[in-house]
Amino acid sequence: MSDPLIQVTGLTMGWDDVILQKDATFHVDRGEVFAILGGSGCGKSTMLRNLIGLDPPMGGEISIAGVGHPNLAAGRPPFGVMFQGGALFGSLTVGENVGLQLEEWTKLPHEAIGAVVRAKLKLVGLDGAENKLPSEISGGMKKRAAIARAMALEPDLLFLDEPSAGLDPVSAVELDELILTLNRVLGLTVVLVSHELPSILKIAKRCIMLDKETASIIAEGDPRELRDGSPNPRVHEFFNRLPRAS
Amino acid sequence: MANPSTAVGSEKPETELRRSCVEPVVHGEHATLALRGRLTFPDAASIWTELRESVAGAKRGEHLDFDMSKVEAVDGGTMALLVHVRGELAARGVIADFVAASENVQALIHLYRGDIQPVRRRKRTHEGTLSEIGRVTLEFFSEVKRVLAFLGDVVMAVLGLLKEPKTGNWKELWPTMERTGADAVPIVVLINFLVGFVMAYQGARQLKQFGANIFVADLVGLSVTRELGPLMTAIILCGRSGAAFAAELGSMKVSEEIDALRTMGFGPVRYLVLPRTLALMLVLPVLTLLGDLVGMLGGVLVGMTSLDLTFGAYLSETHKALQTWDVFSGVIKSVIFGLAIALISCQQGFATTGGAEGVGRRTTASVVTTLFTLILLDAGFTMLFHAFNL
């Protein structure tokens, strides 16, 4: 039986007179890896910003853990977010980036925070990178560090914006493995925005596909099943990397 | 320049003098425009001219075929021009199609979308004066709204900080004070010394005529402590620290670091703006006092070297001319100047959009707006102090 952690109902998003999606309704079950897919400009990142409360939707309702639309100004958010480029603070070391929320939201002593930070970094394969500055590590390492930072407060829910974009194939596969491990071992619910097909097919249990032209969700389900048997030509083109029929 | 060898079609070196590639149109109900030879980009200008001349007489409703059967080769750039002319004809109501093309040429036609219904491009209409005024007004009000929202956030953050002082980002305060204060000492000293020096020189030339050399100390002392010291120091910090704040926060904004802060439950204003604002409000008065001192030293140097004044006489006259309020009023101004510089530059940083260009634009806007505000505030203070006889 499904146990929705996120419930989105009638979401309309865009800006001014630009409507990216109309009346989008879907849910994300607790403990699943859920992907938001679609071509460029269909509103994937805007949907993510709506979900995490950075931008208000034009209409509709978003509820996370039954609490309603997240209010970031209210304090400690119930989720972690990894931004596309990592968004690590350049003036802080990797360790300080990961420990920032621990200092803010917990009463742990400095030594304990250090221990948690080192453990989180080890978990994401960044053992020993604690004292490096973000400028001294690679793109893949930045993303791993950003995941460690997003997980610092042990959230149940992780939002990932294009986790494997811009990474070499090996780093991308390693990151996929990491996400799967976190999902399987820690029971994390992961919502990711991506258009990296190999990654989606490997890690996502369910997905929705957004379409720019119809401004709607044109497919929902297991990405592997959508690839193999979707009757929708746009979904077929997307999953089979075919040029759009003119 | 396009290499003719990349043209699609049969390979044939171009040795003979170029002859026209566009044959005259045979007009009629079903007109034909025959193209021939090698249509390559080095000849694009002449092909373009010939083509436009040939189709100039085509009438609405006419059907015009671009006969490609004699085309030996065509490259991408030239095909783009042909497709453009076809689109222009369509806009005039002339139905034009490419016909009898070889397989290779047909592939290029397809690639450049010359085989689909031309899409009528909407002409970009020039924005009318009224609509431009409307747009600028709306932009102005949305900027005002952004500034007010920012100020509201600052007030809320200050109230939150007063309620729970432990939640402040205090560890950022000292490094910011060092960066904006201690590191700025050399430039503040140099500029204020030169201002005092120049002012004394200019004043001395006039005062010498009346044998009133000693009053140069009054002139420099009063103007430096009441006006020039606070203003020049604030201008230096505006260019130095204000621009740095705007660029730093702007970069953080475009690289989503500020969004990341928000998603971690940190108030960006409390975390980033308050330490910077407090730092500037604390260091600017200190730098202003330092500026006052070295400005007067600039006057001393001129007095001693050009006006035959002794150090003691100059100091005594300065002491007589200056009152505590003169120095204190400058310090009050500098606190407000510090607040203005920090808030404007941080607001501009937070309002940054559009990547590196946006950061540059907002940094410039930050400096210009701050300078304007500083002068405005200074004039306001002068009128206020004058009204209260201070």
Side-chain angles (χ1 to χ4, degrees):
Chain A
M1 194 175 139
S2 71
D3 175 19
L5 180 62
I6 302 175
Q7 182 64 53
V8 177
T9 314
L11 178 72
T12 299
M13 58 191 204
W15 59 88
D16 300 331
D17 55 350
V18 179
I19 305 288
L20 290 171
Q21 288 290 312
K22 276 183 296 195
D23 295 328
T25 297
F26 63 93
H27 70 275
V28 179
D29 288 334
R30 198 177 290 273
E32 74 174 344
V33 179
F34 184 85
I36 300 170
L37 325 174
S40 301
C42 68
K44 300 188 296 290
S45 294
T46 308
M47 182 173 276
L48 183 74
R49 290 179 71 83
N50 282 183
L51 288 176
I52 61 181
L54 277 174
D55 294 329
M58 292 174 94
E61 283 178 18
I62 297 168
S63 174
I64 295 182
V67 183
H69 191 244
N71 177 10
L72 296 176
R76 178 179 164 171
F79 48 73
V81 183
M82 188 213 82
F83 288 86
Q84 192 171 349
L88 298 177
F89 306 117
S91 59
L92 304 180
T93 63
V94 170
E96 286 168 340
N97 265 285
V98 178
L100 201 59
Q101 292 184 87
L102 294 166
E103 283 183 16
E104 178 73 12
W105 298 116
T106 70
K107 290 185 174 143
L108 287 173
H110 198 68
E111 196 184 338
I113 289 176
V116 175
V117 167
R118 280 190 294 279
K120 294 285 174 195
L121 288 174
K122 196 170 180 180
L123 185 69
V124 298
L126 286 181
D127 217 3
E130 190 188 347
N131 295 317
K132 285 188 165 42
L133 285 168
S135 56
E136 295 169 338
I137 60 176
S138 69
M141 289 167 87
K142 277 182 195 154
K143 294 201 177 201
R144 284 168 174 271
I147 290 181
R149 186 176 71 178
M151 287 170 40
L153 292 173
E154 302 293 339
D156 293 333
L157 175 61
L158 213 53
F159 288 99
L160 310 176
D161 189 6
E162 303 278 8
S164 45
L167 296 184
D168 65 84
V170 175
S171 303
V173 168
E174 284 174 356
L175 199 63
D176 291 345
E177 289 292 345
L178 173 65
I179 295 166
L180 279 177
T181 306
L182 296 175
N183 169 251
R184 194 176 58 244
V185 179
L186 303 176
L188 273 177
T189 307
V190 180
V191 177
L192 61 99
V193 162
S194 181
H195 51 210
E196 300 285 325
L197 279 176
S199 180
I200 294 160
L201 293 168
K202 181 168 182 182
I203 65 177
K205 188 181 164 199
R206 274 193 327 119
C207 70
I208 52 169
M209 186 173 165
L210 310 183
D211 182 51
K212 189 178 175 181
E213 287 183 17
T214 57
S216 63
I217 296 174
I218 52 168
E220 181 172 359
D222 184 323
R224 289 151 293 269
E225 287 173 10
L226 293 176
R227 175 196 58 188
D228 298 335
S230 174
N232 188 314
R234 293 229 187 284
V235 179
H236 182 72
E237 284 164 3
F238 183 86
F239 275 101
N240 293 285
R241 301 167 68 96
L242 298 172
R244 180 163 289 189
S246 53
Chain B
M1 196 166 137
N3 181 358
S5 65
T6 59
V8 172
S10 61
E11 292 298 319
K12 181 182 173 186
E14 200 169 24
T15 48
E16 74 266 34
L17 275 174
R18 184 183 172 277
R19 63 191 180 104
S20 174
C21 295
V22 183
E23 289 180 1
V25 178
V26 182
H27 285 288
E29 197 177 310
H30 212 106
T32 302
L33 172 72
L35 296 153
R36 65 171 175 235
R38 296 171 62 79
L39 309 178
T40 55
F41 215 56
D43 299 324
S46 51
I47 293 171
W48 174 251
T49 311
E50 288 171 26
L51 205 57
R52 299 287 291 269
E53 282 170 5
S54 299
V55 301
K59 294 181 180 65
R60 176 173 287 275
E62 192 174 344
H63 200 120
L64 179 65
D65 284 341
F66 285 7
D67 181 359
M68 306 293 279
S69 60
K70 293 177 195 158
V71 172
E72 295 166 20
V74 60
D75 61 15
T78 315
M79 179 53 73
L81 298 178
L82 294 174
V83 172
H84 178 86
V85 171
R86 178 174 177 258
E88 277 186 348
L89 287 167
R92 282 162 45 193
V94 179
I95 304 154
D97 283 314
F98 294 100
V99 296
S102 67
E103 196 178 333
N104 286 346
V105 174
Q106 185 60 43
L108 202 64
I109 291 170
H110 180 68
L111 187 67
Y112 279 81
R113 301 190 165 254
D115 54 355
I116 60 166
Q117 188 71 22
V119 179
R120 182 174 287 198
R121 287 171 60 199
R122 273 195 294 180
K123 270 193 179 170
R124 187 175 287 182
T125 50
H126 183 69
E127 192 179 28
T129 311
L130 203 62
S131 103
E132 199 174 340
I133 291 170
R135 184 176 51 76
V136 171
T137 309
L138 283 175
E139 278 172 12
F140 172 76
F141 282 117
S142 62
E143 186 71 23
V144 169
K145 194 175 151 194
R146 267 199 295 272
V147 171
L148 290 176
F150 176 78
L151 290 178
D153 284 346
V154 171
V155 171
M156 293 308 291
V158 170
L159 291 177
L161 194 65
L162 290 175
K163 208 167 137 191
E164 284 180 273
K166 275 203 299 190
T167 60
N169 183 14
W170 300 111
K171 67 178 180 200
E172 191 72 18
L173 183 63
W174 187 251
T176 311
M177 283 176 69
E178 189 182 336
R179 205 152 39 100
T180 55
D183 294 356
V185 166
I187 186 78
V188 167
V189 166
L190 181 67
I191 299 285
N192 278 291
F193 180 82
L194 290 175
V195 167
F197 182 85
V198 170
M199 168 156 293
Y201 244 118
Q202 296 294 346
R205 285 182 63 188
Q206 306 302 321
L207 294 168
K208 223 174 181 177
Q209 294 177 39
F210 306 102
N213 294 0
I214 191 66
F215 290 112
V216 82
D218 300 50
L219 175 71
V220 172
L222 281 170
S223 54
V224 161
T225 53
R226 290 187 73 112
E227 292 293 338
L228 293 173
L231 194 60
M232 290 310 296
T233 310
I235 287 172
I236 294 164
L237 253 68
C238 156
R240 201 180 168 278
S241 306
F245 288 172
E248 194 180 358
L249 298 187
S251 300
M252 288 181 79
K253 176 84 190 305
V254 298
S255 61
E256 296 183 307
E257 287 179 35
I258 289 176
D259 289 341
L261 269 180
R262 290 175 64 196
T263 61
M264 292 193 291
F266 291 77
V269 171
R270 178 171 59 86
Y271 195 77
L272 298 170
V273 177
L274 294 192
R276 284 167 173 76
T277 308
L278 198 56
L280 273 197
M281 288 173 75
L282 290 173
V283 299
L284 197 50
V286 179
L287 289 174
T288 299
L289 287 173
L290 184 67
D292 290 350
L293 187 70
V294 293
M296 285 188 278
L297 283 178
V300 169
L301 185 68
V302 174
M304 290 174 69
T305 54
S306 298
L307 301 171
D308 300 326
L309 297 175
T310 63
F311 182 72
Y314 191 101
L315 208 63
S316 166
E317 184 59 28
T318 304
H319 187 67
K320 270 197 287 180
L322 284 187
Q323 292 176 358
T324 313
W325 172 251
D326 295 322
V327 179
F328 193 58
S329 65
V331 171
I332 292 174
K333 277 187 193 180
S334 66
V335 175
I336 304 299
F337 287 168
L339 177 73
I341 295 169
L343 290 185
I344 292 169
S345 50
C346 289
Q347 191 275 327
Q348 290 290 336
F350 272 39
T352 303
T353 51
E357 191 208 341
V359 174
R361 205 171 44 236
R362 284 291 177 177
T363 306
T364 308
S366 151
V367 173
V368 174
T369 313
T370 309
L371 286 177
F372 174 72
T373 309
L374 289 178
I375 303 292
L376 208 65
L377 283 172
D378 194 48
F381 273 120
T382 305
M383 282 157 61
L384 187 76
F385 293 158
H386 180 74
F388 287 95
N389 263 338
L390 291 168

